[in-house]
Amino acid sequence: MALRRKDLLGLADLSPEEIEHLLEQAEAMREVLEREIKKVPALRGRVVVNLFYEPSTRTRFSFELAAKYLSAETVSVAAATASVVKGEGLLDTARTVEALGADVVVLRHPSAGAAAFLARHVKAAVINAGDGMHEHPTQALLDLFTVKRHKGRIEGLTVTIVGDILHSRVARSNIWGFSKLGARVRVCGPATLIPPGLEELGVGVYYRLEEALEGADVVYILRLQRERFSEQTFLPGPEEYARLYGLNRERLQLAQPDALVMHPGPMNRGLEIAAEVAELDRAVIEEQVTNGVAVRMACLYLLMRRGEV
Amino acid sequence: MKRILFKSGTLVDPSSGRVWQADLLVEEGRIKAIDSGLVPPRGTEVVNAGGCLIFPGCVDVHVHLREPGFEHKETIATGVRAAVRGGFVAVAAMPNTRPVADSAAVVGYVRARGEEEGLAQVFPVGALSRGSEGKEMAPLGEMRQAGAVAFSDDGRWLADAQLMRRVMEYARMLKAPVISHCEEPALTKGGVMNEGITATVLGLRGMPAAAEEIAVARDIILAEFTGCHLHVAHISTAGAVRLVREARSRGLKVTAEVTPHHFTLTEEAVQGYNTNAKVNPPLRTRADVEALREALADGTIDIIATDHAPHAREEKEVEFDQAPFGISGLETAIALVFTELVHKGVLDLPQAAAKLSLNPRRLLGLPGGVLAEGEPAELTLIDPEREEEVDPATFASKGRNTPFAGWRLKGWPVGVVVRGKWIPVRPLPGEGLREI
């Protein structure tokens, strides 16, 4: 079964069945990654273009590897070298990419909705690799995949997401993903970094980390972007943040004894997460990275199979 | 001598609240006679207005004609054609052109260009501050002499309270209203839509209702302090409505306008990153829309204005946060008033006519707005039963940026009388489906 959609723009659009299907496919891809020769011919002759308007190391490498393991041709364009600097708009770039014969465009862009905009203007499949504060669907899929591997299920779990929810596309995609698969989602952070209306999505909002951690099965720590301290006054400073919202061993004890600790990376050790916590066995942060490749292979594969079924 | 007889129309006079069927004879730009069974003198142009409503000519107090400086978006020539096609006989042109209309020269230019076109009249609004930069007072007196009917830094709020106080004192002396775009900029920096659940889900930066309400509150206080007539442009929140209602209940010279998009749409229209629904002030919530409708009905909001803000297609066909704010509104306004307000019982016909003609004229100090013998013959004819789908490709405006494309609306202007001329823009009800 393929996905019945041209693009992967966000988890808000996906049904629970579609998400489950992607996760099952990722399981198969994960097996490929465990082989000695990590290559299958599934996307031979297909062209995947990674179009990155924001700096990114992990996501870009992850997509590149995913495409390569599926035998697709890949081209990566970083904003600094792209025609962006010549003032070419996203629409023009999209048309160029299309004319060059891309089958899939993986887009990372600072504007929310950029992937949806691109998807409307090109025939190629578009995968959103992060659009402003909106969504980062493959990150949430790999997080779901990782949790499912460890817990065997998503339904009924309590997931606590901690940090700058307001600016986080990872938080938004994870709220959709975990909620749709039946988990209880809590968010926790200072009031200035919690966007309005989350309760309407069924999310529990907490300002005290201790309360938010109580009984949690998954503790998901977001990266605190230090530029937030300067551009507007969201927070008094990093020291206070670390004191109130930093995850340390003591606080983690409030969660379930086997609670997973997750982080989308890169981490600020000592700020949002204590180094000793990040090194625990149940901190699955590196495994998230590995699983990211499998999940992205599944996304590429299922979107490309759409035309064949 | 040009004479036009409108036979059997339904006259709507907002000044008396009367609605009645009669013939109306126009002669030399004035209403010569209103009676039943008028016999046209020889050489009279006869228009069968059966099935039509006749309003005093509608006036839009808030449009952006973009000339000089942004002629790729709109020109005065295309703007006045859009006005007439939308049923408006006059418009007030906002000063955020390039150069800004902050001098007698630019004000005079806009006015003269409007006269050259000879269609809808163009009344310039002068800037409050030089370059609308909020620092120094613009030459309000000279602009008034050159034909400015009001003053505004539209698009920006004059944040300096001392300067606002001074321009209000000055404008009061000149007997001209100050039109304020109420938005505390510190609260909306980087914002692209209403702050709330929709912005949260879309990952877009919000502009809270509080930004508008703080600005309305300060401006009302300064209006009371200075005695100046404050006109609140494009009011959009329930809280702002409450402030205006309270001010008016105390007899202050405070008026307010609402746009058709604000009384029709909610923030949901932005879903899918629809840049044609990106507008400032932003589309708000259902509760705000309800409050605006209530305020229209109880008279708190006395004017309907479009904030016609045309943009070129390529300017709107970009990422949401890159797109300019604005909706091309002149050619859908009256149809939205009928579809959303008149046919739904929010406004009766005299109220609708007052908010489109009499009250806008009073704001700008223009005569007319009354259907009576001897009054200026500026008229808008409307077929309240006509149904038509909004097709931006047919707009006279260069700006096709509308969130209403494809909407089927009921109640459309069929023609106007302006400068003594009858200009039909749609078939009369009796004429069948012939397109003009």
Side-chain angles (χ1 to χ4, degrees):
Chain A
M1 194 181 85
L3 282 182
R4 274 195 296 276
R5 53 179 66 241
K6 174 169 109 42
D7 313 292
L8 178 61
L9 303 177
L11 293 199
D13 315 327
L14 295 189
S15 66
E17 295 72 29
E18 285 174 297
I19 296 172
E20 294 280 15
H21 183 50
L22 278 160
L23 298 181
E24 279 161 30
Q25 188 65 52
E27 194 60 58
M29 294 302 179
R30 171 87 204 198
E31 282 161 31
V32 173
L33 292 181
E34 281 157 12
R35 294 179 199 166
E36 201 169 331
I37 295 170
K38 304 179 182 63
K39 197 147 183 160
V40 289
L43 296 189
R44 200 161 54 197
R46 303 286 197 155
V47 178
V48 177
V49 174
N50 292 311
L51 197 53
F52 276 63
Y53 285 77
E54 273 184 348
S56 153
T57 324
R58 353 189 128 214
T59 306
R60 189 157 63 100
F61 282 179
S62 182
F63 269 108
E64 276 177 27
L65 282 175
K68 288 193 161 105
Y69 291 156
L70 293 170
S71 308
E73 302 298 320
T74 64
V75 188
S76 288
V77 189
T81 58
S83 41
V84 195
V85 286
K86 296 180 214 151
E88 190 178 301
L90 183 56
L91 185 54
D92 292 320
T93 307
R95 287 180 174 148
T96 307
V97 162
E98 179 101 317
L100 291 171
D103 296 297
V104 185
V105 182
V106 177
L107 180 72
R108 160 70 62 94
H109 197 282
S111 295
F117 175 82
L118 187 72
R120 274 201 298 274
H121 289 98
V122 298
K123 288 195 282 292
V126 174
I127 297 180
N128 182 6
D131 61 330
M133 310 188 300
H134 176 225
E135 282 222 41
H136 191 356
T138 58
Q139 175 72 46
L141 287 168
L142 76 89
D143 294 332
L144 289 165
F145 182 77
T146 304
V147 172
K148 204 167 179 186
R149 277 177 74 94
H150 283 269
K151 300 284 178 194
R153 66 190 166 105
I154 302 294
E155 196 172 0
L157 297 179
T158 297
V159 179
T160 299
I161 306 174
V162 184
D164 179 356
I165 312 295
L166 176 66
H167 297 99
S168 176
R169 52 192 173 213
V170 173
R172 283 175 178 76
S173 287
N174 269 317
I175 287 170
W176 289 117
F178 280 101
S179 308
K180 284 182 187 225
L181 296 194
R184 281 182 299 272
V185 179
R186 301 173 178 171
V187 298
C188 178
T192 47
L193 294 177
I194 306 276
L198 288 179
E199 294 88 344
E200 292 174 53
L201 302 178
V203 173
V205 174
Y206 295 76
Y207 302 112
R208 277 198 64 226
L209 182 56
E210 289 75 9
E211 278 175 51
L213 290 175
E214 201 134 328
D217 299 293
V218 176
V219 182
Y220 198 104
I221 304 296
L222 295 170
R223 170 183 162 73
L224 191 72
Q225 286 155 307
R226 282 165 178 274
E227 57 269 26
R228 303 289 173 225
F229 293 115
S230 55
E231 72 178 28
Q232 281 184 35
T233 309
F234 284 105
L235 296 167
E239 299 80 11
E240 175 163 317
Y241 184 84
R243 209 160 292 139
L244 295 181
Y245 296 100
L247 184 68
N248 54 29
R249 200 184 272 273
E250 201 178 20
R251 283 181 173 143
L252 184 59
Q253 281 172 1
L254 297 165
Q256 294 289 353
D258 59 347
L260 295 180
V261 176
M262 303 177 76
H263 191 293
M267 286 182 281
N268 298 300
R269 285 189 182 75
L271 179 51
E272 69 259 5
I273 187 164
E276 55 174 7
V277 172
E279 281 148 20
L280 292 173
D281 281 348
R282 55 201 171 97
V284 291
I285 297 158
E286 273 152 37
E287 192 191 329
Q288 286 173 270
V289 178
T290 312
N291 291 341
V293 179
V295 159
R296 288 170 180 126
M297 287 169 77
C299 293
L300 287 168
Y301 178 67
L302 290 179
L303 285 177
M304 278 298 90
R305 290 233 355 231
R306 186 179 60 104
E308 298 166 12
V309 182
Chain B
M1 188 172 53
K2 181 80 174 161
R3 277 190 296 256
I4 316 159
L5 178 66
F6 293 92
K7 291 287 288 178
S8 316
T10 300
L11 278 56
V12 181
D13 177 37
S15 69
S16 62
R18 277 184 75 201
V19 180
W20 77 108
Q21 198 174 17
D23 299 343
L24 184 151
L25 181 67
V26 173
E27 189 177 296
E28 284 183 339
R30 300 238 155 223
I31 298 174
K32 173 77 173 171
I34 295 176
D35 211 338
S36 52
L38 284 177
V39 179
R42 185 181 284 279
T44 302
E45 180 183 0
V46 178
V47 176
N48 177 11
C52 283
L53 301 170
I54 302 182
F55 279 23
C58 295
V59 176
D60 187 347
V61 303
H62 194 141
V63 305
H64 297 271
L65 297 183
R66 306 300 192 200
E67 187 182 342
F70 302 101
E71 288 83 356
H72 65 288
K73 295 175 192 275
E74 190 82 293
T75 62
I76 290 171
T78 55
V80 296
R81 280 168 178 77
V84 164
R85 189 166 176 276
F88 292 97
V89 300
V91 295
M94 284 296 168
N96 60 339
T97 47
R98 190 171 61 206
V100 170
D102 63 355
S103 67
V106 180
V107 164
Y109 170 82
V110 170
R111 189 171 168 76
R113 282 288 300 112
E115 286 304 298
E116 277 169 37
E117 292 302 326
L119 291 165
Q121 288 184 283
V122 177
F123 295 102
V125 176
L128 297 172
S129 63
R130 285 191 198 274
S132 286
E133 284 174 355
K135 294 189 182 111
E136 296 168 80
M137 198 189 300
L140 305 189
E142 286 175 20
M143 289 193 282
R144 187 78 169 121
Q145 285 173 351
V149 290
F151 297 101
S152 179
D153 275 354
D154 187 54
R156 290 171 167 192
W157 188 54
L158 212 175
D160 179 333
Q162 178 71 306
L163 183 58
M164 186 63 161
R165 172 217 174 148
R166 299 291 184 221
V167 296
M168 286 182 119
E169 287 171 340
Y170 216 89
R172 181 201 61 202
M173 171 183 83
L174 297 170
K175 297 187 167 55
V178 165
I179 302 176
S180 185
H181 170 116
C182 291
E183 175 189 353
E184 164 52 70
L187 284 172
T188 58
K189 196 175 162 216
V192 294
M193 70 170 296
N194 186 49
E195 182 169 317
I197 174 73
T198 308
T200 293
V201 167
L202 292 174
L204 292 171
R205 286 177 202 268
M207 306 164 84
E212 177 168 331
E213 291 154 10
I214 285 171
V216 169
R218 187 209 68 176
D219 286 347
I220 287 172
I221 290 165
L222 286 176
E224 182 166 20
F225 181 36
T226 61
C228 180
H229 179 168
L230 168 70
H231 179 68
V232 178
H234 42 53
I235 195 167
S236 74
T237 78
V241 162
R242 272 199 304 277
L243 291 163
V244 168
R245 185 177 287 128
E246 189 275 341
R248 290 169 66 104
S249 75
R250 292 192 293 116
L252 300 185
K253 271 202 283 190
V254 174
T255 54
E257 72 191 28
V258 65
T259 70
H261 47 269
H262 286 113
F263 69 61
T264 303
L265 299 172
T266 68
E267 59 185 5
E268 298 276 321
V270 174
Q271 293 283 9
Y273 301 95
N274 179 5
T275 57
N276 284 330
K278 181 176 174 183
V279 66
N280 186 12
L283 301 172
R284 306 284 189 184
T285 66
R286 177 55 53 197
D288 293 305
V289 171
E290 292 308 323
L292 294 171
R293 290 179 180 220
E294 198 185 313
L296 276 162
D298 74 14
T300 301
I301 297 174
D302 35 25
I303 291 176
I304 294 166
T306 63
D307 192 7
H308 177 70
H311 290 291
R313 185 179 138 184
E314 65 274 15
E315 292 170 319
K316 280 285 195 178
E317 221 169 51
V318 293
E319 301 88 312
F320 193 86
D321 51 11
Q322 303 295 313
F325 292 104
I327 288 172
S328 178
L330 274 170
E331 291 168 78
T332 51
I334 286 180
L336 286 164
V337 169
F338 271 79
T339 307
E340 294 294 325
L341 303 179
V342 175
H343 292 312
K344 291 185 179 170
V346 177
L347 297 181
D348 62 22
L349 289 171
Q351 284 177 312
K355 290 174 206 294
L356 287 164
S357 64
L358 181 61
N359 299 343
R361 284 171 189 273
R362 282 186 177 157
L363 173 71
L364 304 178
L366 307 175
V370 176
L371 290 187
E373 288 172 10
E375 288 288 329
E378 298 208 320
L379 307 171
T380 297
L381 272 71
I382 296 160
D383 176 354
E385 301 303 319
R386 180 181 176 80
E387 290 190 44
E388 196 178 301
E389 198 169 282
V390 176
D391 178 7
T394 64
F395 280 11
S397 171
K398 285 190 178 184
R400 276 86 201 270
N401 46 304
T402 173
F404 299 109
W407 283 43
R408 197 165 180 79
L409 302 179
K410 184 177 173 187
W412 289 84
V414 294
V416 297
V417 175
V418 60
R419 301 172 196 261
K421 280 182 303 197
W422 161 239
I423 308 174
V425 298
R426 283 187 181 74
L428 290 158
E431 285 179 331
L433 293 171
R434 184 172 63 86
E435 283 295 335
I436 290 176

